[in-house]
Amino acid sequence: MRTLSCAVVFAALLTQSSGASADTIFSDDFSDGNISDWSTSGTVNAHNNESIRLRGPSSAWRTISTAGFSAVSVSMVMSASSLENADHCYAEVSVNSGSNWTTILQLDNGQDNGSHFSASAAPSGVDNNPQMQVRFRGDGATTGDYCYGQSVAVTGTSGAQTDPDIDAPASLGFGNITIGGSKTVNAVISNQGSADLSINSVGSVSAPFSISAETCTGGNIAPGNSCQVTVDFNPTSAGSYSDSLGISSNDPDESNISISLSGSASDSGGTTSNFDPLSGSGNVSRSLLTYNTLTGNGSGSLVNMSGYALPAEAANPGNTFEGSLELFGEATSGSFDEQKDSFRYTGNSDTTRKHLPEFDFEFVQTGSHLVPKERGSIASSHPEWEYILLPGRVWDENGDSGYSRVALPFALQQKNANCIHNGMMMFAFKDDGSVTDVAYQIASETCLYFQFDMWGQLDATYIPAAVSNATTLVAEYQAEVNGRMPTKPLSALNSDYPGTDYTKFATPNGKSPSAISLVGFVIDGTHYTGGCTTRQGDYPYCEVLPVPSYSSAKSIFAGTALMRLEQKYPGTMNQAISNYVPECAANGNWDDVTFNNTADMGTGNYKLAGYMSDEGASHTNDLFLPESHASKISYSCTEYPRKASPGTKWIYHTSDTYILGRAMNEYLQGLEGSSKDIYSDLLIGEVLGPLGVSPTAQFSRRTYDSEQQPFTGWGLMFLGDDIAKIGSFYASGSQPGLKQSEMDAALQKDASDRGLDPLSDYKYNNGFWAHEISADIAGCSAPLWLPFMSGYGGITVLILSNDTVYYYFADDDEYLWMDAAQEAHSIRSLCN
């Protein structure tokens, strides 16, 4: 019994699932014993004029056109016999010609007594689809394992259309242009749905932004078509500017979206020859790191960080640095003082951990700034350390004998790990290649288990030479600086928002300032900052102090990338891990685990059910210590047995997020080509990059083999401005580049989808944490779920419901932030 007919035995099910007015597009109950119009693999046959029978690993599928139909629903009935724990039967639907499948019914051990089980579904993309497919599939391992497809029916409403689906850029960046100049950027608004998209209105924007043309308002955009909004940027004075463009439509899920606008203006546009000029006289009184010390009359000493700061009377530099700086004696020189060593890395004897890696890098100067050619964690031959280079400052002092002085921020990051140890270098140079010694010191870190001071003074050579891509480096750096969010010290909150106690943000719940690397609060477009304490005074260049992500990457990388994929390719979140990670397919534990289950820490595969018990076990070294993808993925796929159904039990595993990163990478490459990368192309290129994150934040730690697999669940790094922008993106209420319904669920805006339960009053959904805090917030009678990101050692980023963001990066292993949440509530209510 086939297309456009309906069996009496199945009529009741169709009526219940689709409604009396629905048309039957296709139905088959296999009562005629003919399965010739089904494609099969494995052992498949017609059985007793009542079903299609699959034995062992096998499948049966067919294409069904739903062209011209809306409100399409697929109903499937199955039964099974002799299933063991690793055996399953599936009823599945594909909306892209079988490239990906959505499971609508699954039978397991205990559902194998011949009883009929039914389910209906309407996956996104099933309407008006000439290449929709249905499939029965079994993965049993023995000859006695049988799956029976009893019937399938597809119904829909003829002649109607389904929902529209708006797609728009999350942001438009105009870069840095000349004061009085103009730049135009087009926002393309497309319809990815199956019904006409109607744009009700395109909102206004404020100067220096303006809308010069648009083809969207009042028109109907057919499926697959687009319209365009032309936005002009015409700044008349120097500074950084931001605004948002609102668009209202008939999209039922995203009726109102917002596109962020950002740009900056300076004296000569894309690049300024005298960038960030200094107005001091050069008459600097200096007792630390004097010219005499740098020219070789000092062996290096640990000094107060103020010695590396830009002095108030610093004058514009008279020399220009472009070329390479090389240090000598790194492996044997310098001093080391251990502060904390949980894993006994060093001891009393000399080790390579007590010395810098070899240093030979290129830099280019722009005005009073020195820009490293390489950013991120730079791989080296050193067994333990990799450099992170940050932009520094250049200036003249009258006591430096015609040399220009450089303060260069840098950090050491542990190889294959995420701890960051922050330091400073200082030297002086001339155009002719003359250079002093280089003084250096490290006196702070974001690292729970290894803390130390390191200092010294090394010989150096400066080789002036043209640096490739110098013009681009300068332009991108100036745009980076000009595009930073406006900042003020946290103490300014007391005057900007009278009655506020800024100390509740600076040191919430009595946290020690010495443990906090960076802390910030973002409200009304201003980034209030603090922290930067070291054991030798305040770090002088907080704006470029890098901090590690640790597990905040599970939100920023894993969860966000997955929601971007779901927006681009509906059905992504229901993809099975084993289809994309062969190492996870062998034991059968991952066949029914979806991308979404894995992001939720709900794979059902674990050893110990206690909170963080698996994650804290010593065997996790087999994930964190190996440098190759083969080792990391082998551990991740095979370490944990199946103990619960996927999606039912929260057990935290960083290894699960590593698997998800690999699966998403393989999935993306299958759709867009083998050269695509889930981090650099999808996450940075399409989500974080348009927000204006720094080159530092565009680094992801990867395996050291040819796979270069991003770690996904840890291994990122950020500047404070990066966290302010990323947090504000999540807090904005609309993330058009991501699947909005899933983002809303992650941020606890959907009461029907709060996620799994790590602890009482906590949730975990799509890689984001949440805590119910109504009992701690005055005046909130309804439940108040506060979403946040968290990282090992003491990292917290709160996404507050009053459109603010609060964060700190610390290493005291304390997660205390209620003071900050309550103080944010005192400025503007958190109550829903």
Side-chain angles (χ1 to χ4, degrees), residues 560-583:
T560 305
L562 182 57
M563 288 183 280
R564 175 57 183 159
L565 283 173
E566 181 66 24
Q567 172 71 2
K568 292 184 73 175
Y569 306 109
T572 296
M573 300 184 82
N574 291 324
Q575 296 303 307
I577 289 290
S578 61
N579 289 343
Y580 301 94
V581 185
E583 297 87 348

Side-chain angles (χ1 to χ4, degrees), residues 485 518 520 522 527 547-549 552 556 693 697 717-730 789 795-797 805-809:
M485 190 176 290
L518 280 180
V522 183
H527 182 195
V547 289
S549 67
S552 63
I556 295 171
V693 298
M717 62 179 72
F718 308 107
L719 306 184
D721 184 68
D722 300 321
I723 289 298
K725 288 174 177 173
I726 294 169
S728 296
F729 171 65
Y730 295 137
M789 300 181 278
I795 297 170
T796 290
V797 183
V805 176
Y806 173 71
Y807 70 85
Y808 61 70
F809 286 73

Side-chain angles (χ1 to χ4, degrees), residues 202-212 231-232 243-246 259 261:
V202 173
S204 60
V205 294
S206 301
F209 300 101
S210 61
I211 297 173
S212 58
V231 184
D232 295 336
D243 200 355
S244 60
L245 170 63
I259 302 174
L261 311 177

Side-chain angles (χ1 to χ4, degrees), residues 286-409:
R286 175 174 290 280
S287 60
L288 301 174
L289 302 174
T290 64
Y291 175 75
N292 188 50
T293 298
L294 293 178
T295 52
N297 294 325
S299 58
S301 59
L302 198 62
V303 303
N304 189 279
M305 280 290 184
S306 62
Y308 291 88
L310 179 70
E313 286 300 317
N316 245 14
N319 298 277
T320 301
F321 193 108
E322 183 172 354
S324 62
L325 179 70
E326 183 176 6
L327 306 185
F328 299 93
E330 302 98 321
T332 56
S333 300
S335 301
F336 181 92
D337 186 11
E338 180 183 286
Q339 302 293 321
K340 182 178 181 181
D341 187 1
S342 300
F343 297 111
R344 300 181 181 179
Y345 284 142
T346 56
N348 294 324
S349 14
D350 194 29
T351 72
T352 51
R353 288 187 190 271
K354 297 183 178 182
H355 300 281
L356 295 178
E358 291 186 3
F359 187 104
D360 186 1
F361 298 105
E362 290 183 296
F363 298 85
V364 61
Q365 185 176 332
T366 174
S368 65
H369 293 245
L370 189 67
V371 184
K373 183 176 181 180
E374 295 181 85
R375 302 272 285 270
S377 196
I378 305 169
S380 73
S381 60
H382 196 280
E384 286 90 24
W385 295 124
E386 295 175 350
Y387 280 111
I388 302 170
L389 302 179
L390 290 309
R393 299 304 301 270
V394 189
W395 69 92
D396 278 2
E397 296 181 9
N398 295 342
D400 285 346
S401 300
Y403 284 71
S404 293
R405 185 177 288 257
V406 172
L408 182 67

Side-chain angles (χ1 to χ4, degrees), residues 270-271 322 364 366 467-478:
T271 58
E322 183 172 354
V364 61
T366 174
V467 173
S468 63
N469 296 321
T471 301
T472 300
L473 282 171
V474 167
E476 290 178 347
Y477 174 69
Q478 290 190 13

Side-chain angles (χ1 to χ4, degrees), residues 57 63 97 144 213 251 493 527 532 535 617 629 632 659 687 700 706 778:
T63 300
S97 302
D251 184 321
L493 283 167
H527 182 195
C532 287
R535 288 178 289 275
H629 169 67
K632 289 182 185 294
I659 290 172
V687 182
S700 173
S706 60

